[in-house]
Amino acid sequence: MNRTDRLYAIVEDLRAIAPRCRSARALAERFEVSSRTIERDIGALQQAGVPIYAEAGRRGGYALEKSMSLPPLNFTPAEAVAVAIALSRTDQQPFEDDARSALRKLVAAMPGQETERARQLATRVQILMDKPGTPERRYTGSIGRVIEEALLKGVVLRMRYGDANGSLTTREVEPGMFIGGRSGSWYLVAWCRLRDAVRLFRLDRIAAAELTGEPVPGRPLEDFDSDVPDMITRCPALD
């Protein structure tokens, strides 16, 4: 995540929990930087006119002016829990950080009494998790954000990719779209310059990724359509 994106994300994170505060240490852990970097970022935001103030004390930290927080939302407790259930597997999907941010905003903007009812209702829902010792997916943290950024910005992605046998190759690819499979696995569909063709890359097999800064050529979206029989593809509905 570059500095501009991080500054924006800090404001959104503080907006989601306003008027509560977040410590520099907690922000540093969330954005995988040092506390000193967060302090410099907060200073830059304050100089730019963003109404962030510091609260002293053991439970202190940084908070956004209450007027900058979201207005109360008329979500019912059941609707809030339904959204939480839908987002419960976002650690295996693209835009996982954005999904968690959206959920925090939703809960923070609900009236206090409804928020507590939603939390109580959530305790009555259990979600089965992987057994202890199950290998963790590698599509997390900084790798995931780089892949998402490459698709959002339309730039070539350089990555280390492992095949089914674990053999790693370095690829430069032109991102096209994400595809979700019936098994729960997610794929990046991209033009692979090594193979000179469209290829599918399982996100949990991408061991490293970096942006090249090179804009991708203007390929039609149809070029990235993939006819894979064991997958179900559907665009997410936004209305």
Side-chain angles (χ1 to χ4, degrees):
M1 181 181 292
N2 60 43
R3 189 171 188 241
T4 300
D5 290 341
R6 188 175 66 250
L7 291 175
Y8 175 80
I10 289 173
V11 174
E12 290 303 303
D13 186 80
L14 295 178
R15 189 198 307 277
I17 65 168
R20 292 171 292 160
C21 62
R22 182 92 71 193
S23 69
R25 182 177 179 181
L27 288 168
E29 291 175 354
R30 184 178 299 278
F31 296 108
E32 299 179 353
V33 295
S34 67
S35 295
R36 179 108 180 205
T37 296
I38 291 296
E39 290 168 0
R40 286 197 295 265
D41 288 346
I42 293 293
L45 289 167
Q46 290 172 329
Q47 289 179 8
V50 180
I52 296 175
Y53 60 92
E55 288 190 359
R58 232 177 126 184
R59 297 187 179 180
Y62 296 106
L64 193 66
E65 177 64 36
K66 190 173 182 180
S67 62
M68 294 287 290
S69 62
L70 293 173
L73 298 179
N74 293 322
F75 272 81
T76 67
E79 288 172 336
V81 172
V83 172
I85 294 171
L87 298 180
S88 63
R89 298 292 187 181
T90 54
D91 57 337
Q92 301 176 10
Q93 300 174 12
F95 307 109
E96 57 175 292
D97 290 341
D98 302 278
R100 293 192 184 102
S101 174
L103 182 58
R104 287 196 301 270
K105 288 179 185 178
L106 185 157
V107 174
M110 292 175 64
Q113 185 177 2
E114 295 297 273
T115 300
E116 184 55 34
R117 289 181 59 198
R119 295 188 189 282
Q120 291 177 4
L121 180 60
T123 64
R124 297 178 178 272
V125 179
Q126 299 292 320
I127 299 172
L128 295 177
M129 307 299 290
D130 292 330
K131 294 180 179 179
T134 301
E136 293 184 358
R137 294 176 180 266
R138 289 177 290 180
Y139 175 72
T140 55
S142 59
I143 293 177
R145 286 194 291 272
V146 170
I147 298 169
E148 293 157 10
E149 190 174 355
L151 183 64
L152 287 168
K153 293 186 174 179
V155 297
V156 175
L157 178 71
R158 183 181 296 118
M159 63 187 189
R160 292 282 288 169
Y161 185 72
D163 61 18
N165 298 318
S167 299
L168 290 171
T169 56
T170 299
R171 312 284 187 103
E172 284 196 356
V173 302
E174 302 168 13
M177 65 174 67
F178 288 117
I179 285 185
R182 198 164 38 190
S183 65
S185 297
W186 279 81
Y187 300 77
L188 172 67
V189 186
W191 182 271
C192 178
R193 293 184 169 180
L194 179 66
R195 306 303 184 199
D196 197 30
V198 171
R199 289 290 186 269
L200 275 70
F201 301 96
R202 263 183 57 162
L203 298 184
D204 59 328
R205 290 181 182 168
I206 298 175
E210 62 176 338
L211 303 177
T212 65
E214 177 189 349
V216 300
R219 299 184 187 277
L221 194 59
E222 292 76 15
D223 288 356
F224 296 97
D225 284 348
S226 183
D227 183 17
V228 182
D230 62 345
M231 287 186 182
I232 296 175
T233 62
R234 182 179 61 186
C235 294
L238 296 182
D239 54 15

